[in-house]
């Protein structure tokens, strides 16, 4: 019988300085619910051309292995030192020294409770190792933002602008001296740039002012370069618009010592430019932008690159939709994720520096999921999903690259009929993980936050203690089953309806019972009898820790 706690994994220092770079650092896109569309044929050569019929795009394979899965969206964020971290809800996960991914509930200290029904997600993160900044967002009918600052191993709420309730930092980039620069928006104040340093927030030297514009531009994304240059994607009204309505989309650029920026409209694709840039990334000391433009009644992908002097438009991938994520590799090759109509999106690659600049469709291998437990918000109880009979097709949502050269792709997994499932996966090139990490869903994150609070014993009639966890023992090593055989046998009688679970509680893997308060009162004596017979030191407390695996004698 296991009786000793597993050693807690050693962790590296706090996260290093973060920067908006080759990943989509906004909150992950929700599961797409449009009608299913026929997925393109992949992994085969294009059909031979008939007469003058054009040949379809070439399909290629890029070897990527699943490193994380989740019931719910996953976000990708690149750190200042080139490391990529994942976010599931408001919880961060990162690669350990053995190339496996790990998530630690200690990173939830100080964050307000993330109610499962609210679907809080990390929108942006920035700063340096001893001074991190975090923006989380809630969408839907009641949208909201919260900003936090991490000091001394805990998050603390931060008010970006006390005079403008509702203000928040919508994007972060690295400033040359190691501090973060943030894009302040919302509330009653005008958009502005602020520097985040040891003393908090202060106005930044670069200002959102351009002499050629008749009003202050409206920024959406920001990216800093190692040279000290700063870029922001903006919508703006030119001074010589002649009274015409509408806004121009473009980029503002500041030199290392500039106070006011230079505005440059983005080049047009068939005389059209995107209304608002969806993705802005640093690439080899320069920047890439992506979005889509409406031509006729169709959305056409848009990709442009700044070479240090001017903007150059790339021919769009041969598909309809908008570019939502970009990354460039040293070959040089550019990868673009295109958000198409319907559940299935696509990943494309172009050798930008080669003799032939043709977009190729990238095929992603199917992902096989294991059975999983999740918190059923509607039923208010833990439920299980059996392992799907067949592997699921990834529909890419974002792409990134770390300094080790690995590509990272997060994707929604599609069911066999082509419709979207609630599951997402992160794929990575390079060293394979021992097994994909099952990131917590929103219900498990909420349970982990409650588990961080001081434990208190359940008392009859306490309406604030609706759930009870009875700890039985600490898991010393992996086991193919939940609970020792003698424990499972003892629960097969009158206690067979209770949920026996392997959980993550207070930084330890434990085995215990998760039940409603009424069930605990009804079976308290029987549970104590089983624990005494098997010589367990049982302990009851209010709340449910995150459930990793579960078992019931009655199925």
């Amino acid at each position: 019988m296991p009786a000793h706690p597993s050693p807690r994994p050693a962790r590296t220092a706090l996260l290093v300085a973060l920067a908006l770079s080759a990943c989509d650092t906004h909150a992950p896109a929700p599961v797409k619910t449009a009608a299913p569309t026929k997925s393109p044929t992949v992994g085969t050569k294009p059909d031979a051309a008939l007469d003058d019929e054009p040949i379809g795009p070439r399909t290629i394979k890029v070897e990527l292995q699943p490193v994380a899965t989740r019931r719910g969206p996953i976000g990708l964020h690149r750190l200042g030192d080139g490391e990529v971290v994942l976010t599931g809800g408001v919880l961060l996960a990162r690669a350990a020294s053995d190339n496996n991914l790990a998530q630690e509930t200690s990173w939830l200290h100080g964050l307000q409770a993330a109610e499962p029904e609210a679907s809080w997600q990390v929108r942006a993160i920035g700063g340096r190792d001893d001074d991190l900044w975090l923006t989380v967002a809630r969408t839907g009918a009641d949208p909201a933002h919260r900003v936090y600052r991490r000091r001394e191993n805990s998050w603390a709420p931060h008010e970006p602008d006390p005079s403008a309730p509702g203000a928040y930092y919508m994007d972060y980039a690295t400033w040359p001296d190691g501090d973060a620069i943030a894009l302040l928006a919302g509330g009653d104040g005008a958009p502005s740039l602020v520097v985040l340093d040891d003393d908090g927030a202060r106005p930044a030297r670069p200002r959102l002012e351009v002499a050629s514009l008749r009003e202050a531009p409206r920024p959406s994304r920001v990216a800093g370069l190692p040279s000290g240059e700063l870029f922001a994607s903006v919508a703006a009204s030119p001074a010589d618009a002649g009274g015409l309505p509408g806004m121009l989309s473009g980029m503002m650029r500041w030199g290392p010592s500039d106070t006011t920026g230079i505005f440059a409209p983005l080049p047009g694709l068939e005389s059209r430019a995107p209304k608002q840039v969806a993705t802005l990334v640093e690439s080899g000391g320069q920047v890439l932008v992506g979005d889509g433009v409406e031509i006729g009644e169709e959305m056409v992908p848009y990709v442009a690159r700044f070479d240090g002097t001017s903007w150059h438009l790339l021919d769009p991938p041969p598909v309809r939709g908008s570019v939502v994520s970009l990354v460039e590799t040293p070959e040089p090759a550019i990868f673009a994720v295109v958000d198409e109509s319907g559940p299935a999106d696509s990943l494309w690659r172009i050798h930008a520096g080669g003799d032939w600049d043709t977009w190729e469709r990238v095929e992603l291998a199917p992902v096989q999921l294991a059975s999983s437990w999740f918190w059923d918000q509607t039923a208010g109880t833990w439920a299980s999903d059996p392992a799907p009979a067949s592997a699921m097709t990834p529909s890419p949502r974002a792409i990134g690259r770390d300094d080790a050269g690995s590509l990272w792709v997060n994707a929604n997994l599609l069911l066999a009929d082509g419709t979207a499932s609630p599951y997402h996966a992160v794929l990575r090139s390079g060293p394979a993980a021992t097994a994909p990490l099952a990131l917590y869903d929103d219900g498990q994150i909420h349970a982990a936050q409650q588990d961080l609070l001081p434990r208190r014993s359940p008392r009859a009639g306490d309406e604030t203690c609706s759930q009870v966890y009875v700890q039985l023992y600490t898991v010393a090593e992996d086991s193919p089953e939940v609970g020792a055989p003698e424990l499972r046998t003892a629960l097969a009688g009158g206690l067979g309806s209770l949920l026996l679970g392997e959980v993550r509680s207070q930084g330890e893997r434990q085995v215990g019972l998760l039940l409603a308060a009424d069930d605990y009162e009804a079976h308290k004596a029987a549970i104590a009898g089983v624990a005494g017979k098997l010589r367990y030191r049982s302990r009851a407390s209010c709340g449910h820790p995150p459930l990793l695996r579960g078992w019931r004698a009655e199925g």
Side-chain angles (χ1 to χ4, degrees), residues 1 76 138 147 178 184 194 203 264 273 284-285 320 322 342 380 419 451 460 483 511-512 552:
M1 176 184 68
L76 289 180
R138 178 183 65 200
V147 177
L184 175 63
V194 296
R320 293 298 175 257
S322 297
T419 58
D451 189 56
V511 167
R552 281 191 179 98

Side-chain angles (χ1 to χ4, degrees), residues 332-406:
I334 295 174
F335 288 80
V337 176
V338 177
D339 184 350
E340 301 186 44
S341 62
D345 298 325
S346 55
L347 178 61
W348 298 82
R349 184 187 74 174
I350 187 172
H351 289 278
D355 295 332
W356 48 277
D357 294 345
T358 302
W359 288 97
E360 304 162 305
R361 184 187 292 269
V362 179
E363 176 185 355
L364 298 176
V367 175
Q368 180 65 59
L369 288 178
S371 59
S372 63
W373 285 80
F374 65 96
W375 179 257
D376 187 332
Q377 181 63 29
T378 302
T381 186
W382 294 103
S384 61
D385 268 349
S390 59
M392 306 174 76
T393 302
S395 174
R397 297 301 300 157
I399 186 167
R401 175 180 174 271
D402 60 30
D403 276 1
S406 297

Side-chain angles (χ1 to χ4, degrees), residues 78-168:
R78 180 174 172 171
L79 313 187
D81 67 345
E83 182 185 6
V84 168
V85 297
L86 313 182
T87 57
V90 297
L91 185 58
L92 276 65
R94 60 183 300 186
S97 57
D98 59 1
N99 293 315
N100 294 312
L101 267 68
Q103 59 186 345
E104 288 197 11
T105 55
S106 61
W107 279 87
L108 296 172
H109 272 296
L111 298 181
Q112 289 180 256
E115 307 84 357
E117 65 275 9
S119 298
W120 286 94
Q121 303 286 343
V122 171
R123 169 161 183 161
I125 186 168
R128 62 174 192 242
D129 57 351
D130 59 346
D131 197 3
L132 293 176
W133 303 80
L134 180 72
T135 301
V136 299
R138 178 183 65 200
T139 57
D142 185 23
H145 292 81
R146 296 172 182 166
V147 177
Y148 299 91
R149 185 183 187 186
R150 186 169 178 82
R151 302 294 295 272
E152 299 179 354
N153 299 323
S154 183
W155 298 104
H158 171 75
E159 185 63 53
D161 187 353
S163 64
Y168 64 95

Side-chain angles (χ1 to χ4, degrees), residues 4 12 49 71 97 104 171 239 297 374 376 391 404 418 424 476 491 499 506 552:
H4 301 288
T12 56
R71 187 182 177 89
S97 57
E104 288 197 11
D171 214 350
E297 297 181 354
F374 65 96
D376 187 332
H424 294 244
L491 295 175
L499 175 61
Q506 306 287 319
R552 281 191 179 98

Side-chain angles (χ1 to χ4, degrees), residues 196-503:
L196 307 173
D197 56 19
D198 293 337
D199 298 324
R202 58 181 172 83
R205 171 178 43 76
R207 297 195 301 269
L208 292 167
E209 299 176 2
V210 179
S212 60
L213 302 179
R214 59 183 176 182
E215 61 184 46
R218 298 200 301 263
S220 58
R221 304 294 299 271
V222 62
L225 306 186
S227 63
E229 291 179 288
L230 185 69
F231 287 79
S233 59
V234 299
S237 296
D240 57 353
L244 295 176
M247 304 285 283
L248 285 178
S249 61
M251 300 296 298
M252 287 190 67
R253 177 192 177 200
W254 296 265
S257 59
D258 291 342
T259 298
T260 57
I262 299 174
F263 173 78
L266 290 173
L269 180 63
E270 295 189 17
S271 302
R272 293 169 176 84
K275 296 179 180 179
Q276 179 174 315
V277 170
T279 177
L280 165 65
V281 298
E282 186 273 335
S283 173
Q286 300 303 327
V287 293
L288 286 165
V289 299
D291 203 289
V293 295
E294 190 171 352
I295 298 178
E297 297 181 354
E298 295 182 316
M299 187 64 67
V300 179
Y302 181 97
V303 180
R305 181 178 183 179
F306 186 77
D307 64 1
T309 304
S310 59
W311 288 95
H312 295 275
L313 184 66
L314 278 67
D315 288 337
V319 69
R320 293 298 175 257
S322 297
V323 173
V324 293
S325 188
L326 285 165
V327 71
E328 186 168 11
T329 58
E331 284 81 356
I334 295 174
F335 288 80
V337 176
V338 177
D339 184 350
E340 301 186 44
S341 62
D345 298 325
S346 55
L347 178 61
W348 298 82
R349 184 187 74 174
I350 187 172
H351 289 278
D355 295 332
W356 48 277
D357 294 345
T358 302
W359 288 97
E360 304 162 305
R361 184 187 292 269
V362 179
E363 176 185 355
L364 298 176
V367 175
Q368 180 65 59
L369 288 178
S371 59
S372 63
W373 285 80
F374 65 96
W375 179 257
D376 187 332
Q377 181 63 29
T378 302
T381 186
W382 294 103
S384 61
D385 268 349
S390 59
M392 306 174 76
T393 302
S395 174
R397 297 301 300 157
I399 186 167
R401 175 180 174 271
D402 60 30
D403 276 1
S406 297
L407 284 175
W408 297 69
V409 175
N410 74 348
N412 185 201
L413 299 181
L414 305 183
L415 300 173
D417 62 0
T419 58
S421 80
Y423 285 95
H424 294 244
V426 171
L427 315 174
R428 182 186 67 187
S429 66
T434 303
L437 173 66
L439 298 175
Y440 288 165
D441 64 26
D442 290 344
Q444 290 170 310
I445 290 174
H446 183 73
Q449 289 183 298
Q450 300 304 305
D451 189 56
L452 290 173
L453 301 175
R455 288 185 173 178
R456 59 191 181 95
S457 300
R459 299 182 183 277
D462 184 356
E463 296 182 355
T464 64
C465 182
S466 60
Q467 302 168 339
V468 176
Y469 166 58
V470 182
Q471 176 186 346
L472 297 175
Y473 63 83
T474 299
V475 179
E477 58 185 19
D478 287 335
S479 170
E481 296 180 334
V482 179
E486 59 268 26
L487 173 60
R488 293 159 65 97
T489 300
L491 295 175
L495 301 178
S497 63
L498 303 185
L499 175 61
L500 177 68
E502 184 177 311
V503 305

Side-chain angles (χ1 to χ4, degrees), residues 34-50:
T37 58
K38 183 178 179 180
S39 300
T41 302
V42 295
T44 59
K45 294 182 179 180
D47 295 333
L50 299 178

